[in-house]
Amino acid sequence: MSLTPAGLIRFLSSVHPYDSLESGVLADLAPQFEVLDFPSQSQIYQLQDPLMGLYLVYSGEVEVLDENGMAVSILGPRNSFGERGLIRDGLAVTSARATEDCLLLLLPKEGFFSLMAAQRSVARFFDRRRPEPAQYSGLTTTRAADFMAKDPVTCSTGLTCQSAAQLMRQHHISCLCVTEDAGLQGILTTRDLTEKLLAEGLPFSTPVSKVMTQAPITLPPSALGSDVLHAMMEHHIGHVPITQGKEIVGIVTQTDLTRFQAVNSAELVSRVARASSASEMALATAEIPQLLVQLVAAGNRHEVVTRLITDIADAATRRLLTLAEEALGAPPVPYLWLACGSQGRQEQTGVSDQDNCLILDDRYAADHEAYFKALADFVCDGLNTCGYVFCPGDMMASNPRWRQRLSVWRGYFEGWIRKPGPEAQMLASVMFDLRPIGGDKSLFEGLQAEVLALAGANSIFTAHMASNALKHTPPLGLLRGFATIRSGEHRNTLDLKHNGVVPVTDLARIYALQTGITAANTRARLEAGAELGAISPSGAQDLLDAYDLIQQTRLEHQATLVRRGEAPDNYLSPSSLSDFERSHLRDAFVVVKTMQSALGHGKGMLS
């Protein structure tokens, strides 16, 4: 494909930092760019290759990989790459390949350095984008609120596309957030304008509502940078609006993420999201134990490690849902796939089974059963292939009991709350950790609000749930020792899951029920419980510290097993710990036991 000089200038004038150049400078610069075609899956350059210059994506998609072959980012039109190597020593510090047919513009390195020397705005831009290696690890601990563009430019649904384009040019941005009544309705990007307006020959007076991407993927300000990158890679998008409730508070673009890297988890998410079968997906998920080792060795906190690992399970579930729909056709009525258990709480480790369910729209009819049975079996079988083994208790969407209409689910929860017998307590404990994964999320939003209100208003139910939460006790023995497992395969070990993590998870769930907290994550529930008065600040901090130590010990134990070539598990021998480690772990169990005792005596707080 050839570009006319005028077309090239128009394109450059829409790309930052070239849009800051005077028209004469831009006219002199444009002829220096070479136009290069790269077919899909072709290599643009390899690590340590001499770089010919700065690359700019005109069309298509490019994947940039670090020295370990891990994805740094996926770049679309108007994104540059290669400048880090040019600025450093002229050799590529990454590799790049086309994941779609690409048209690239290459500014030779002599022209690049001349432009940097002559134009301060260009030098500032590329110096700002140049990351140091240590910065990449920050993606796993940095929240979106810390690097998003705040107060994004917005427009109404009725604005014309021409006016929207002028607004983007005025603010030197590549997207607009489209709002109505203070709520986010969609997002309009430069790619939307070229592919939906210009390519289709629509009039410039077309309202943005006809061209925008409706109901875009959004994340909250508390999302990790890795969550943003994973969403971009899974859904092949370059812009993620950041919302607080229904309010748009920021935007994150691909450019914002070029200086970050999400360790190896982003690469696994990308591979899972592109897999054509469960067996292909399993090649990626098989690397999760090694990912666990790397994340723990890098000093990441447990909530970061488990979030990243859970992201892979989420991506696998959504990809399997997509593959199921491709095989079975469009669903006859809307549905929502939800995860519970550790995936629901975003707390998966190196060993996890699957716990999930399906909520079906109330328009579901008997003749739809064959479709949803096939879909549930397809996804559950696929997850099992990927290493997320079938739930021993059969709490999966493949079980008809957990594949029901919304009205039936409403009846389930109402029944458990009205008559909280032993089975009801057990089921409610699992199902109160539900988190939507794929499908129509509106099927859960109203149900969750109703159920939390019902539970919070029923003191008998919460008392029964509190009693159920005391069944898992920390492994404390006499004389400052541990109560280890007495017989069987895991004799003389501590079960760090059922006697360590689960008691804290149960306590956090009770605090959530008492105060109507919607979060499923244990740490988020404890923090919110302290804020809302379900637990005192000092009690919450003690319990958080205890939980952190138990979870970190659990992950380090699993990483040690993987390094030995063994399968990760939750059974720790106290003899493998130093005296210092044993003392602190026992102190953590004492805190948990004390909090359980306070709950058992009807005390909502520990002062």
Side-chain angles (χ1 to χ4, degrees):
M1 175 182 174
S2 61
L3 277 173
T4 65
L8 182 56
I9 290 173
R10 276 198 304 273
F11 177 73
L12 291 174
S13 65
S14 70
V15 179
H16 197 60
Y18 309 106
D19 57 359
S20 65
L21 303 179
E22 295 181 0
S23 57
V25 174
L26 196 57
D28 291 339
L29 177 67
Q32 298 181 45
F33 280 90
E34 300 175 18
V35 182
L36 305 175
D37 278 299
F38 285 90
S40 178
Q41 304 308 312
S42 62
Q43 197 73 34
I44 299 168
Y45 58 75
Q46 298 274 13
L47 181 71
Q48 294 300 305
D49 280 352
L51 281 169
M52 305 305 294
L54 176 74
Y55 292 87
L56 174 62
V57 183
Y58 181 84
S59 64
E61 184 178 88
V62 173
E63 184 177 48
V64 179
L65 309 174
D66 70 4
E67 63 271 16
N68 299 311
M70 299 299 109
V72 175
S73 57
I74 293 180
L75 306 176
R78 294 175 171 76
N79 285 137
S80 299
F81 60 99
E83 71 275 11
R84 286 179 58 212
L86 288 175
I87 293 172
R88 187 174 297 181
D89 56 14
L91 299 178
V93 296
T94 59
S95 62
R97 67 183 181 92
T99 53
E100 295 177 359
D101 290 344
C102 287
L103 191 68
L104 303 182
L105 303 179
L106 174 67
L107 178 62
K109 58 184 178 182
E110 296 80 8
F112 172 69
F113 286 121
S114 295
L115 184 64
M116 290 271 285
Q119 300 293 329
R120 182 176 297 178
S121 62
V122 175
R124 273 201 310 266
F125 177 77
F126 287 113
D127 278 340
R128 176 178 60 82
R129 292 186 59 199
R130 179 178 46 174
E132 295 300 323
Q135 288 181 293
Y136 283 104
S137 64
L139 190 59
T140 61
T141 54
T142 304
R143 299 190 181 277
D146 296 325
F147 62 87
M148 68 185 184
K150 298 179 174 63
D151 301 319
V153 181
T154 64
C155 71
S156 66
T157 55
L159 189 71
T160 68
C161 286
Q162 182 176 32
S163 297
Q166 292 170 344
L167 192 58
M168 283 191 253
R169 181 180 65 183
Q170 175 187 342
H171 290 277
H172 308 302
I173 54 178
S174 58
C175 70
L176 292 173
C177 293
V178 185
T179 59
E180 206 69 48
D181 298 326
L184 181 66
Q185 301 298 312
I187 185 171
L188 181 74
T189 68
T190 51
R191 190 169 187 172
D192 291 327
L193 292 175
T194 56
E195 295 186 0
K196 299 178 184 178
L197 184 82
L198 296 178
E200 297 296 331
L202 299 178
F204 292 167
S205 59
T206 300
V208 297
S209 60
K210 301 294 185 182
V211 178
M212 70 182 186
T213 298
Q214 297 185 20
I217 301 293
T218 64
L219 288 171
S222 59
L224 298 176
S226 55
D227 295 335
V228 180
L229 180 57
H230 290 175
M232 287 182 175
M233 287 187 164
E234 181 179 355
H235 299 286
H236 311 298
I237 55 178
H239 305 78
V240 177
I242 306 300
T243 56
Q244 186 82 61
K246 294 185 178 181
E247 182 185 1
I248 175 77
V249 295
I251 188 84
V252 177
T253 68
Q254 289 173 334
T255 301
D256 298 320
L257 289 180
T258 53
R259 65 182 183 272
F260 293 111
Q261 180 188 23
V263 195
N264 295 352
S265 56
E267 170 66 11
L268 296 188
V269 167
S270 179
R271 286 168 56 188
V272 163
R274 295 168 185 272
S276 59
S277 66
S279 56
E280 183 181 343
M281 223 174 286
L283 297 175
T285 56
E287 297 180 26
I288 289 176
Q290 190 57 45
L291 171 65
L292 171 70
V293 170
Q294 293 171 359
L295 292 172
V296 171
N300 289 287
R301 287 176 56 88
H302 71 86
E303 65 267 29
V304 173
V305 177
T306 55
R307 175 79 73 88
L308 295 177
I309 290 175
T310 304
D311 281 350
I312 300 168
D314 291 355
T317 305
R318 284 191 286 266
R319 183 57 180 159
L320 287 166
L321 287 169
T322 298
L323 293 174
E325 289 191 22
E326 289 176 357
L328 301 172
V333 295
Y335 70 85
L336 177 62
W337 187 282
L338 303 99
C340 45
S342 59
Q343 185 183 359
R345 297 190 302 274
Q346 295 180 293
E347 293 167 4
Q348 287 191 315
T349 65
V351 51
S352 296
D353 59 6
Q354 56 175 292
D355 298 281
N356 47 60
C357 64
L358 263 177
I359 298 179
L360 307 175
D361 188 277
D362 276 330
R363 288 170 288 178
Y364 166 88
D367 59 348
H368 299 152
E369 172 58 14
Y371 178 95
F372 286 110
K373 180 183 185 305
L375 181 138
D377 287 345
F378 184 100
V379 176
C380 290
D381 289 347
L383 289 173
N384 185 64
T385 298
C386 292
Y388 305 101
V389 297
F390 294 127
C391 173
D394 204 20
M395 299 193 74
M396 299 178 294
S398 53
N399 181 343
R401 186 179 185 185
W402 309 123
R403 185 177 68 246
Q404 294 290 340
R405 299 188 307 275
L406 175 59
S407 56
V408 174
W409 277 101
R410 188 174 283 111
Y412 281 167
F413 279 103
E414 289 174 354
W416 296 332
I417 292 170
R418 282 200 312 270
K419 297 179 180 179
E423 184 189 38
Q425 295 169 30
M426 183 272 292
L427 293 175
S429 293
V430 174
M431 293 303 177
F432 272 112
D433 293 349
L434 287 175
R435 182 172 59 88
I437 302 297
D440 186 350
K441 293 183 180 180
S442 67
L443 291 171
F444 182 63
E445 292 169 352
L447 175 65
Q448 184 185 41
E450 293 172 22
V451 168
L452 287 174
L454 275 175
N458 190 321
S459 58
I460 296 176
F461 171 73
T462 53
H464 276 275
M465 289 292 289
S467 175
N468 186 65
L470 304 181
K471 292 180 179 178
H472 294 100
T473 57
L476 292 169
L478 300 174
L479 303 176
R480 293 194 59 77
F482 292 111
T484 58
I485 297 172
R486 295 183 179 180
S487 61
E489 178 186 359
H490 303 296
R491 185 172 179 267
N492 296 327
T493 65
L494 304 173
D495 186 341
L496 291 177
K497 177 181 177 181
H498 291 100
N499 298 114
V501 172
V502 169
V504 184
T505 298
D506 288 343
L507 286 169
R509 187 182 299 110
I510 295 302
Y511 303 144
L513 290 175
Q514 289 176 341
T515 53
I517 296 167
T518 58
N521 178 265
T522 298
R523 218 175 190 286
R525 282 172 165 173
L526 293 176
E527 291 171 347
E531 291 179 7
L532 297 174
I535 178 175
S536 71
S538 60
Q541 190 57 59
D542 286 344
L543 194 52
L544 280 167
D545 290 344
Y547 177 62
D548 289 345
L549 179 61
I550 296 168
Q551 273 283 48
Q552 204 70 38
T553 302
R554 180 190 183 198
L555 291 182
E556 289 171 358
H557 165 68
Q558 291 186 5
T560 298
L561 292 177
V562 174
R563 282 193 290 266
R564 290 179 188 164
E566 302 174 25
D569 64 29
N570 296 300
Y571 300 100
L572 173 71
S573 171
S575 62
S576 67
L577 301 175
S578 68
D579 289 342
F580 179 84
E581 290 169 330
R582 281 198 296 271
S583 176
H584 280 273
L585 184 59
R586 191 181 190 283
D587 289 345
F589 289 144
V590 169
V591 169
V592 177
K593 184 65 176 177
T594 304
M595 295 299 292
Q596 286 185 323
S597 179
L599 184 67
H601 287 86
K603 299 175 183 178
M605 304 179 187
L606 177 67
S607 59

